[in-house]
Structures are given as C-alpha cells and as structure tokens.
Amino acid sequence: MSEADPMTAPLSERAPILHMREVDKTFGGQVAALRRMSLTVREGDFISLLGPSGCGKSTALRLIAGLMPPTLGKIEWVGGQGAGDLGVVFQEPTLMPWATVAQNVWLPFRLRGQSFKSVKDKVFEALALVGLEKFHDSYPRELSGGMKMRVSIARALVTRPRLILMDEPFAALDEITRQKLNDDLLALRAKTGATVIFVTHSVFESVFLSDRILVMAARPGRVIKEITVDEPYPRGLEWRIAPQYGEIAREASDALHGTLHAGQPEMAE
Amino acid sequence: MMAVDPADSAATPQTPMCEGRGTGPLFDADEERRARRKRIEEVAKYIVPLAILALAIWYWDRLVVWNDIEPYILPRPGLVLSTLIKDWGTLSQSLLITLQITGMALAVAVIGGVGLAVLFSLSRFAEMSFSPFAVILQVTPIVSIAPLIFIYIESRMIGLLLCAWIVAFFPILANTTLGLKSADHNLQDLMTIYKANRWQRLRYLQLPSALPYFLGGLKIAGGLALIGAVVAEYVAGTGGIGTGLAFRILEAGYRLQIPRMFAALILIAVTGVVIYATTSLISHLALRKWHESALKRE
Ligand SMILES: Nc1ncnc2c1ncn2[C@@H]1O[C@H](COP(=O)(O)OP(=O)(O)O)[C@@H](O)[C@H]1O
Ligand SMILES: [Mg+2]
C-alpha cells in the first residue's frame, strides 16, 4: 500500500491493485468479445467502461471477477486476491428473495462461516451507508427498484473490498432515482475510499462519476480511448453544469460515435 | 407494500404512509363502492360454492324421490349420511388405514424425491444413470405394475405403500430437480465470487430456489398418493386385516350395499380435498413472505 491518500493523490502515486495485461477473450473460437485489453487499477480509482452494447464491457468485468478465464493474457491482483477483496453489483439487484435485507447483506460473511451475530455491526454499518438500516427486516419484494439496488450495493460494500465492480447498476432505473444514486455512490466512495470499475453506456454518467473513462468499441471488443477526468471530488451539481463537464462529455461522445461508423481505423491509445 | 419514494428513502426519514385513508372527504363514493364490492367478493368466495353444493345435493335427493329410484341403485343423500354414521366404526378404521398409507407414501416420496433430486443436481452422472428409471416408473400405469408388486411383496401394507409411493414420488422428483436448476444465474455468479463451496451453494441458493417448485410438486403428489393407495387396493383385492376405503367400496359393491359405497366414496373425496387443502396451506405458509405466488396485489 502506498503512503499517499488514494482519494487525493495523483494517479501515478496511488498503489496498484490489479493489472490486466493484454487480455483477449474469444467465445467458441469465433466471437472476439475482448481484444488486447490492458488496464492497471489503482487504489481509489473510479474507472468507467463506456461503450455500446456488445463491446465486451460485461466480459471485461466477468474476467476481472474471475468468473471465467481469459483466452490470452493475464489478470493479476497485486498481493493476491483475498476473501472479501471483491464486491460486485449487477444490473439487476440480484437479491435472494427469501432472505431479509440484513440476511442478504450478511451473505458474503455467511459464506465464510461467520455468524450473523459476529458481523451484525458491519451489516448494519453497510446498510446505514446506503440509508436502509430501517429496512433490515424487510423482504426484497417490499422494496422499490432503487432501494433494492442500494441493498445490492450494501452487500458489495460490506466486506470493505479492495475493488468493486458495477455492471450498469442503474441502467434499469428511472432518471431521477439514477441521479440520486449517482450522487450517493460518490458520497459512499468518499466515505469508504472504495475503488470502483463502473460499466455504463451513458456518457454523462461516466463523466459525472469517474476519474478515468475507457471508451470501448465492438467487433472486436476493445478499448479505443482513455480519457482522464481531472475534476476533484466531491462532485455535485456544480460539476454537472461545469464547462469542462460538457467538454469531456463531448470528447467521450465523439470517441463513442466514431466507433459506430464502419471503416474507422482501430486506434491504439 | 411500502409506498416509499425510492429517491428519498435514504435522505429523509419516512413519512407516515397513506395518512387519513378511509376517513372524511378522501373516502369518495367510487372508492366506497369498490370497497363494498370487495367485501361482497370475500364472502361470496365461500358462500357461492357451498350454495351450489347444497343445491346439487337437494337436486340429487329430489331426483330419487321424483323418479322413485330404489336405494340399491341410487340412495338418497340422507340415507348415505345415516349409513356413514351407522357404519362409522368400520369405515373410520378403513379411513385410518387409507390415510396411513397415503401419508407414509407421501412422506417417503418427499424424502426420496428430494434426496434423488439433490443427488441429480450434485452429479450429472447420477442423473444420467437413474432418471430413465424414474421416467419408466412414472409412465407405466400403476394398475399394470401393482399385480406384480403384490406377487413379490408379501406384506399387503408394504405393497400398497410401494404403489402409492411410485405414483407420488415422480412429481416431487421432477419439480425439485427443475427447481434446483433454476436458481438465478447472477446469484450463482455471486456464489462463485464469494467462493461458496458445493454444499453452501446447495443450502443457501439452490434449495431455497427450489422450494416453490417442490411445494408445487407436493400439491400434486398429495392427490396422487391417495389415488395410488386406492387403486393399489383395488388390485390387491380382499385380505383379512388392514383394509382401506377402496376395499370397503369393493365389498359394498359385491353385497349391493350401495349407500355404504357412497359413504366410503364420500370419505375418499373428503380425504382428497383435505390433503389438497393441507398441502396448499403448507405451501402458502412457506412462501407467503417472499414468493410472487403468495403476493397480494391491490
Ligand atoms: N457466454 C458467451 N458466449 C458467447 N458469446 C458471448 C458470451 N458472453 C458474451 N458474448 C458475446 O461477446 C460480446 C460482448 O458481450 P458483453 O461483454 O456482454 O457486451 P456488453 O456488456 O458490452 O454489452 C457480444 O458480442 C456477446 O454476444
Ligand atoms: Mg453488459
């Protein structure tokens, strides 16, 4: 771990957590879902993977999560991956409907054989972070879509993971809930110092949230541009209406649209 | 249901929900009409079927009287009832035996069906090896296997039990197997990410996911166990001790004691209804907190 404060230190001074080196993923020897993706994730990073659907964003996350092996290349955790080092939030809340909110958040500990009592404080702390401690006894079906997503985030946070992967977590929510959750996500990040890789197909969401944006293109899935967002955190409404916000959104948007036109040469960043 | 604005829930404390509902000007005529209709529906749900049943029995009674039908052809409902009371000693003994066979067959079907389903889910090889036998047992009509069973198995009781089990266990096996496979794939990924072992996966994800499927199978199996117990007894025929309701029907048939036949028949029907109601209740109690099927919508 580096001595520098991960939330404020410049990129190059933060300690790396994970290296992705020249990773390829091919399905059935045909579909090139991901080609030559390299990425160093550093402590405190908020990285967005931005791209049209089918460009391999989910594939990249699944590879990092260890849900499948890469066809070529390597993914390495610095210092190895320990239990609870990784938290994941899917597009759907992915809660166990038969379990209460608190029991759902308990799951990562439960699978390590830890009783509810022994981790109750941590569970309630995570629920408090997403503002749902009052609902600890509710069942998922009693909650709205946004609240379920919060539970899902609490579950990802509860082990205090080194890295959180989020795959279009707010895509299914309405715009108002989504903005609110974006704000809350940044507040959470400030409180917990979480490192996040966030998949989205929304340009504005990526510019608002992240300090690095990887713009991706499909067929084959690849990273075509990396944009650094220098705006310091905390970010709020001012950032949404700042001129640089528009400029970066423009830059990302152009890169994204470039990918949609056939015959565009592959860019090597 | 909670009527909480998702966007606000974290930031602001909860405001009381549905304040003032059902009082004063908020309660308009239209709403009142809807509420009244709902109350009527609640009551009608029970009254209407009972009324139809009463009507049918009354019509049965009239039919016999109007057409002068002899009691050994079609007895009046009153006679059936009095026979039921008069013969209660014999009939209740038989009822108990039928219930025992049905209950035990169902219990063994649950244990065997769930156990086999879990085994199948743990081992592809086991599924490949055994599932054809399960299917063969299921598709072969029980009446055609039963005579063999009674040749090979000396104890009449065990033979009956086996027959009832054969018909009851398949829906439990099939449904539970399906249920164990139908766990949400994202939750399965989550289990992988948190490095759950095979046993934890089964216990925390697959078994709860399979519960609604299992309970659906149980409802079907309950009725089938009774059918199996009755049919097997028809095949087994007479035999001193341990005679269930089916045997009473046969016996009454031979002796032209038609009212008694009806009485036994009614007991079987009532048993079937009670089994169905019980399994439905179990299903409801087990699922009411979380499953969509038990969800009440306004
Ligand atoms: N399990 C799989 N088998 C075969 N093809 C797949 C599989 N998963 C993804 N793909 C293909 O890989 C490409 C990238 O998919 P994905 O990573 O899901 O894209 P995204 O998340 O950016 O929408 C798509 O063309 C998709 O059809
Ligand atoms: Mg995706």
Side-chain angles (χ1 to χ4, degrees):
Chain A
M1 302 270 147
S2 83
E3 294 296 309
D5 178 358
M7 303 306 290
T8 52
L11 258 177
S12 54
E13 283 174 28
R14 303 182 198 161
I17 296 178
L18 177 131
H19 299 288
M20 248 179 124
R21 295 189 217 273
E22 301 276 302
V23 169
D24 265 35
K25 183 68 192 182
T26 313
F27 288 107
Q30 298 220 324
V31 189
L34 203 62
R35 181 175 289 177
R36 249 167 281 141
M37 180 164 174
S38 292
L39 172 66
T40 294
V41 183
R42 291 169 185 279
E43 215 173 287
D45 272 354
F46 199 120
I47 299 170
S48 281
L49 303 184
L50 173 68
S53 69
C55 72
K57 305 185 296 293
S58 298
T59 302
L61 283 201
R62 293 174 63 79
L63 288 168
I64 295 172
L67 290 170
M68 53 192 187
T71 311
L72 283 176
K74 275 210 177 89
I75 296 173
E76 293 164 355
W77 285 74
V78 177
Q81 186 192 352
D85 270 357
L86 183 70
V88 177
V89 179
F90 300 94
Q91 182 168 347
E92 297 85 33
T94 312
L95 304 175
M96 301 179 290
W98 53 84
T100 63
V101 164
Q103 286 168 342
N104 268 289
V105 176
W106 169 37
L107 181 76
F109 292 120
R110 192 182 201 182
L111 293 173
R112 284 194 244 157
Q114 288 174 282
S115 72
F116 186 75
K117 240 202 205 139
S118 69
V119 293
K120 194 175 173 202
D121 291 346
K122 287 181 187 166
V123 168
F124 274 78
E125 200 186 331
L127 283 175
L129 278 172
V130 298
L132 285 181
E133 69 267 60
K134 280 206 192 96
F135 292 92
H136 65 95
D137 240 356
S138 303
Y139 284 84
R141 75 167 193 202
E142 297 168 318
L143 308 178
S144 68
M147 291 160 88
K148 281 185 215 165
M149 217 41 179
R150 286 169 190 279
V151 178
S152 191
I153 294 171
R155 181 181 57 199
L157 281 172
V158 75
T159 59
R160 289 304 164 106
R162 287 162 75 192
L163 178 60
I164 298 178
L165 307 177
M166 304 180 94
D167 193 352
E168 305 193 30
F170 309 142
L173 302 174
D174 63 274
E175 188 59 30
I176 298 167
T177 309
R178 183 180 188 158
Q179 281 201 10
K180 171 81 176 121
L181 282 169
N182 278 339
D183 288 335
D184 290 354
L185 183 59
L186 286 189
L188 271 180
R189 179 180 176 277
K191 271 188 244 174
T192 61
T195 306
V196 181
I197 302 181
F198 188 96
V199 164
T200 179
H201 53 235
S202 158
V203 170
F204 293 106
E205 197 169 53
S206 69
V207 179
F208 179 72
L209 291 172
S210 39
D211 51 13
R212 280 156 80 194
I213 302 171
L214 304 186
V215 184
M216 297 180 69
R219 261 164 276 120
R222 65 206 188 276
V223 177
I224 51 161
K225 194 172 175 66
E226 178 164 344
I227 299 171
T228 306
V229 184
D230 277 328
E231 176 74 11
Y233 298 94
R235 297 172 181 175
L237 183 63
E238 289 80 52
W239 174 231
R240 279 191 206 281
I241 54 174
Q244 303 96 293
Y245 180 83
E247 278 163 28
I248 295 171
R250 180 64 193 263
E251 193 184 346
S253 198
D254 284 348
L256 203 55
H257 283 285
T259 73
L260 298 178
H261 300 301
Q264 192 80 7
E266 273 192 48
M267 290 176 66
E269 269 295 300
Chain B
M1 293 261 81
M2 239 157 274
V4 179
D5 178 1
D8 280 340
S9 58
T12 54
Q14 298 308 305
T15 48
M17 290 167 273
C18 305
E19 210 177 355
R21 201 188 137 84
T23 56
L26 273 178
F27 202 56
D28 63 9
D30 196 40
E31 200 166 339
E32 197 166 351
R33 207 173 313 128
R34 230 175 302 141
R36 190 175 333 122
R37 179 182 300 163
K38 215 175 142 203
R39 274 199 302 277
I40 291 171
E41 259 173 34
E42 274 299 299
V43 179
K45 201 165 68 185
Y46 301 101
I47 298 280
V48 172
L50 281 179
I52 300 281
L53 186 67
L55 203 70
I57 292 172
W58 172 83
Y59 185 66
W60 165 11
D61 189 60
R62 289 301 95 195
L63 216 59
V64 176
V65 174
W66 290 333
N67 297 313
D68 259 338
I69 301 175
E70 298 291 341
Y72 57 82
I73 302 210
L74 181 63
R76 290 175 63 177
L79 182 58
V80 173
L81 188 66
S82 59
T83 310
L84 187 60
I85 294 165
K86 183 166 58 76
D87 294 349
W88 181 246
T90 341
L91 287 178
S92 63
Q93 285 290 315
S94 298
L95 173 65
L96 210 63
I97 283 161
T98 300
L99 275 179
Q100 262 172 15
I101 292 167
T102 307
M104 278 161 67
L106 193 57
V108 182
V110 166
I111 295 166
V114 173
L116 215 51
V118 168
L119 183 70
F120 285 1
S121 89
L122 292 176
S123 156
R124 270 300 284 143
F125 186 72
E127 181 169 10
M128 281 189 311
S129 322
F130 292 120
S131 59
F133 291 98
V135 173
I136 289 168
L137 270 185
Q138 163 68 9
V139 296
T140 314
I142 189 64
V143 275
S144 58
I145 318 177
L148 278 176
I149 287 176
F150 288 109
I151 290 174
Y152 298 132
I153 292 180
E154 252 176 71
S155 160
R156 200 175 118 90
M157 195 75 173
I158 301 221
L160 292 177
L161 196 60
L162 191 61
C163 291
W165 175 79
I166 286 173
V167 285
F169 109 108
F170 190 79
I172 293 187
L173 170 68
N175 274 26
T176 311
T177 303
L178 182 65
L180 288 172
K181 281 180 186 167
S182 62
D184 180 274
H185 62 100
N186 279 337
L187 277 173
Q188 297 192 37
D189 284 348
L190 203 68
M191 292 282 164
T192 309
I193 286 164
Y194 289 124
K195 304 192 165 45
N197 59 36
R198 198 68 201 76
W199 164 243
Q200 289 175 319
R201 211 175 262 271
L202 184 69
R203 175 157 172 221
Y204 297 134
L205 178 59
Q206 288 181 290
L207 286 176
S209 302
L211 186 64
Y213 293 81
F214 161 75
L215 290 167
L218 182 68
K219 268 195 227 179
I220 300 168
L224 284 181
L226 179 64
I227 292 175
V230 168
V231 167
E233 210 184 350
Y234 272 94
V235 178
T238 48
I241 38 160
T243 48
L245 282 175
F247 176 73
R248 293 292 162 217
I249 291 181
L250 279 178
E251 180 193 53
Y254 295 142
R255 298 181 188 169
L256 274 182
Q257 295 171 326
I258 307 302
R260 191 171 177 176
M261 225 170 144
F262 270 86
L265 191 60
I266 285 171
L267 281 182
I268 290 179
V270 169
T271 306
V273 171
V274 169
I275 289 173
Y276 183 77
T278 311
T279 50
S280 297
L281 183 71
I282 291 172
S283 174
H284 175 77
L285 291 179
L287 301 181
R288 84 200 135 129
K289 285 235 176 81
W290 62 273
H291 198 251
E292 285 294 324
S293 68
L295 189 58
K296 272 212 177 75
R297 284 205 174 278
E298 291 284 308

